[in-house]
């Protein structure tokens, strides 16, 4: 039986990507903390965003959750297995990492043949976030998983395109009234109609500004976003969808545009000379049942249009298609937000295989945790003074960072260039001699080149010390280097984020 190997791997703590009826999931044994940690590291997922536990059925649910309300059993009867996720009170068996410290846990019973078989064979609760790098469009095909994770996970089970294309509805059953935290294919209206249960819809929650109960932490992050800008188009004020597309295209005349619209509208549009004369990349969905068809194709379209190198995507808005519109709104979110400022810090060492990649990864992980609220975002890069492109990080560097839940196994060394130095807002070297070489090379940039210890030092003292090279030393030395770097980065963070006068 083909699923035996991935099921056993999953059970023993390895990562397995698998299809569900909604999107592909990146699965790990929920009871093995290192496996759960690896999920966060692989996705680059903020630690405060909890995971959904997947089970084949409710047989062993009692071990994982307590005080199950009667509504659960009604909904389970009516909708499970299916695209509905329940937030319930957790037992101590669920590691804190899974629930991100909340006293609740999300549980779902997917309705997909392969997934059901896998869960039964593995016979453990399986956490599975959508199988995409955090912030990117979710994966609805195995090839999407491969695009995001390449050879970084041992198993990807391919069962074609997923049936629904948008993630499950998340419903919170821990408050005085059930409340939808994330819209999905199963809507509040359907729950009322089928199960006779009164439920606050996603929008109700928003309108009331109900902050007393915890919403889905995942909702605060920008999501589902391709690299291209996404603009919504729809027919309104008596203007057709085709007219709306044409007028947008007119304003974007110098940009390579992608279209995600229904087939019928495209049939009308393609006859227009403007369209025929311009290079437009199209990704169409069926005009019948557009709600379902658009949801089914949205993520694949965003990914395909990105891969085709478009600058902008015009995507058809379908008022009333709640789950689809929720995801589309998020894909456009950056367009509605003020552009965030992203600053770059460049860590430099000699070979770019030990200290500087460790520093950059530790910095990015720390920044991820700390900077949700701040307007300025920081991003770290690393490079080596004397190296070649494409070397992996040293094995001990990978191991000691893995202990901190950070994965640098995909690191590939980069030779320092003048461009990298010029683009960085600040440059942090490991030693004073590296600093002096760089300053000698580019005196004009002197003020932004300091050792990491100097950046970390409150008074910016010149002689604040070096970070010694652990190269070829025992793993314990690398562990010391990691701890040293972590401490410096935390002080550095204070320095670069404190306002003058603070
Ligand atoms: O359809 C799906 O649900 C897919 C497939 C793979 O099953 N999974 C998925 O997982 O979408 P993920 O991790 O991408 O999204 C989980 C959502 C997040 O918005 C998270 O904040 C929310 O569920 N969530 C998880 N645990 C929660 C909890 N205890 N309370 C509130 N929200 C929770
Ligand atoms: Mg997700």
């Amino acid at each position: 039986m083909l699923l035996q190997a991935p099921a056993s791997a999953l059970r023993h703590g390895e990562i397995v990507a698998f299809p569900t009826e909604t999107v592909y999931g990146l699965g790990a044994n929920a009871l093995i903390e290192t496996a759960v940690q690896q999920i966060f590291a692989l996705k680059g997922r903020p630690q405060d965003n909890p995971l959904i536990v997947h089970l084949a059925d409710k047989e062993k649910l009692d071990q994982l959750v307590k005080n199950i309300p009667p509504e659960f059993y009604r909904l389970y009867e009516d909708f499970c297995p299916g695209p509905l996720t329940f937030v319930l009170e957790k037992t101590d068996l669920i590691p804190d990492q899974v629930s991100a410290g909340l006293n609740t846990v999300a549980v779902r019973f997917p309705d997909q043949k392969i997934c059901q078989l896998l869960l039964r064979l593995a016979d453990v609760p399986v956490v599975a976030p959508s199988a995409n790098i955090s912030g990117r469009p979710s994966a609805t095909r195995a090839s999407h998983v491969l695009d995001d994770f390449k050879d970084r996970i041992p198993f990807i089970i391919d069962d074609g395109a997923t049936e629904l294309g948008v993630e499950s509805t998340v419903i919170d059953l821990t408050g005085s009234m059930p409340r939808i935290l994330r819209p999905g294919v199963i809507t509040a209206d359907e729950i009322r109609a089928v199960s006779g249960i009164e439920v606050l819809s996603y929008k109700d929650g928003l309108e009331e500004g109900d902050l007393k109960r915890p919403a889905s932490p995942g909702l605060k992050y920008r999501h589902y976003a391709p690299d291209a800008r996404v603009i919504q188009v729809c027919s309104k004020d008596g203007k057709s969808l085709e007219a709306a597309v044409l007028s947008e295209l007119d304003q974007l005349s110098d940009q390579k545009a992608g279209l995600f619209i229904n087939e019928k509208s495209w049939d009308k549009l393609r006859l227009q000379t403007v369209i025929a004369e311009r290079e437009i990349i199209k990704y169409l969905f069926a005009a019948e049942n557009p709600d379902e068809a658009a949801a089914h194709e949205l993520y694949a379209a965003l990914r395909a249009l990105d891969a085709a190198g478009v600058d902008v995507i015009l995507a058809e808005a379908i008022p009333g298609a709640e789950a689809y519109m929720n995801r589309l709104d998020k894909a456009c979110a950056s367009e509605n937000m003020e552009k965030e400022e992203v600053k770059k810090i460049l860590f430099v060492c000699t070979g770019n295989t030990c200290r500087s990649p460790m520093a950059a990864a530790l910095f990015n992980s720390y920044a991820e945790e700390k900077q949700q609220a701040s307007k300025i975002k920081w991003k770290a890069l690393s490079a080596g003074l004397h190296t070649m492109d494409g070397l992996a990080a040293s094995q001990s560097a990978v191991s000691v960072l893995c202990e901190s839940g950070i994965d640098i196994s995909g690191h590939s060394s980069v030779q320092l260039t003048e461009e990298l130095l010029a683009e960085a807002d600040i440059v942090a070297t490991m030693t004073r001699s590296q600093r002096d070489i760089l300053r000698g090379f580019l005196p004009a940039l002197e003020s932004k080149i300091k050792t990491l210890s100097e950046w970390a030092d409150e008074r910016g003292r010149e002689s604040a010390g070096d970070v010694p090279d652990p190269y070829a030393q025992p793993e314990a030395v690398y562990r010391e280097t990691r701890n040293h770097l972590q401490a410096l980065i935390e002080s550095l963070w204070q320095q670069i984020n404190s306002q003058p006068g603070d």
Side-chain angles (χ1 to χ4, degrees), residues 142-385:
S143 63
H144 300 161
V145 186
L146 203 58
D147 287 343
D148 280 16
F149 298 104
K150 300 214 169 56
D151 48 7
R152 295 166 70 210
I153 49 178
F155 289 96
I156 299 176
I157 302 174
D158 185 351
D159 195 27
T162 58
E163 185 195 337
L164 301 174
V166 286
E167 298 83 350
S168 60
T169 306
V170 178
I171 185 167
D172 179 6
L173 296 183
T174 63
S176 51
M177 194 192 272
R179 174 181 157 201
I180 289 183
L181 301 180
R182 178 176 72 181
V185 169
I186 297 175
T187 61
D189 285 346
E190 196 179 349
I191 289 174
R192 276 183 215 115
V194 175
S195 307
I197 290 175
E198 209 34 62
V199 40
L200 289 169
S201 76
Y202 173 62
K203 293 223 173 77
D204 292 336
L206 286 184
E207 275 155 20
E208 287 171 11
D210 180 0
L211 297 172
K212 281 174 248 95
R213 290 162 55 190
S216 264
L219 296 174
K220 70 176 187 241
Y221 300 107
R222 178 169 176 244
H223 260 99
Y224 320 121
D227 294 332
R229 274 173 73 195
V230 182
I231 297 177
Q232 296 183 17
V233 282
C234 67
S235 57
K236 65 166 181 249
D237 306 332
K239 228 166 83 177
S240 67
L241 176 75
E242 298 84 67
V245 169
L246 289 171
S247 89
E248 283 291 349
L249 283 175
D250 190 39
Q251 289 175 41
L252 301 164
S253 55
D254 55 341
Q255 304 211 16
K256 182 165 173 186
L259 273 185
F260 178 56
I261 59 170
N262 74 81
E263 283 167 356
K264 272 210 175 116
S265 298
W266 172 254
D267 277 343
K268 292 183 202 153
L269 264 175
R270 59 198 256 274
L271 304 173
Q272 304 280 335
T273 39
V274 196
I275 299 276
E277 279 164 7
R278 216 169 133 167
E279 191 198 356
I280 306 260
I281 315 280
K282 63 181 201 304
Y283 195 110
L284 308 177
F285 56 86
E288 276 156 48
N289 286 334
D291 299 22
E292 279 171 32
H296 187 262
E297 295 302 330
L298 175 67
Y299 294 135
L302 296 178
R303 283 173 175 267
L305 294 171
D306 245 355
V310 303
D311 304 310
V312 61
I313 297 171
L314 303 183
E316 180 173 343
I318 307 179
E322 194 184 17
Y324 168 74
M325 287 308 293
N326 170 265
R327 305 317 190 263
L328 184 58
D329 283 346
K330 295 212 166 170
C332 300
S334 62
E335 292 314 306
N336 307 330
M337 281 191 258
E338 238 177 279
K339 266 257 174 293
E340 280 163 353
E341 188 184 352
V342 180
K343 287 196 171 186
K344 283 191 200 153
I345 173 165
L346 177 67
F347 290 98
V348 175
C349 67
T350 312
N352 192 221
T353 58
C354 305
R355 287 168 292 178
S356 64
M358 286 170 84
L362 287 165
F363 181 96
N364 284 331
S365 156
Y366 191 71
E368 184 101 83
E369 236 179 81
K370 297 282 167 193
Q371 70 188 356
Q372 298 305 339
S374 81
K375 198 99 203 104
I376 305 172
K377 307 281 176 211
W378 282 93
K379 184 175 166 340
L381 305 168
S382 66
L385 261 174

Side-chain angles (χ1 to χ4, degrees), residues 28-49:
N29 184 337
L31 306 181
I32 302 183
E33 293 194 24
T34 47
V36 176
Q37 238 169 35
Q38 226 194 319
I39 292 276
F40 281 95
L42 278 165
K43 279 185 61 93
R45 181 177 176 109
Q47 299 282 345
D48 67 347
N49 192 4

Side-chain angles (χ1 to χ4, degrees), residues 458-473:
E458 231 176 321
R459 278 164 288 167
R461 279 173 297 200
E462 282 261 323
S463 59
D466 292 345
V467 179
D469 191 354
Y471 183 69
Q473 307 228 42

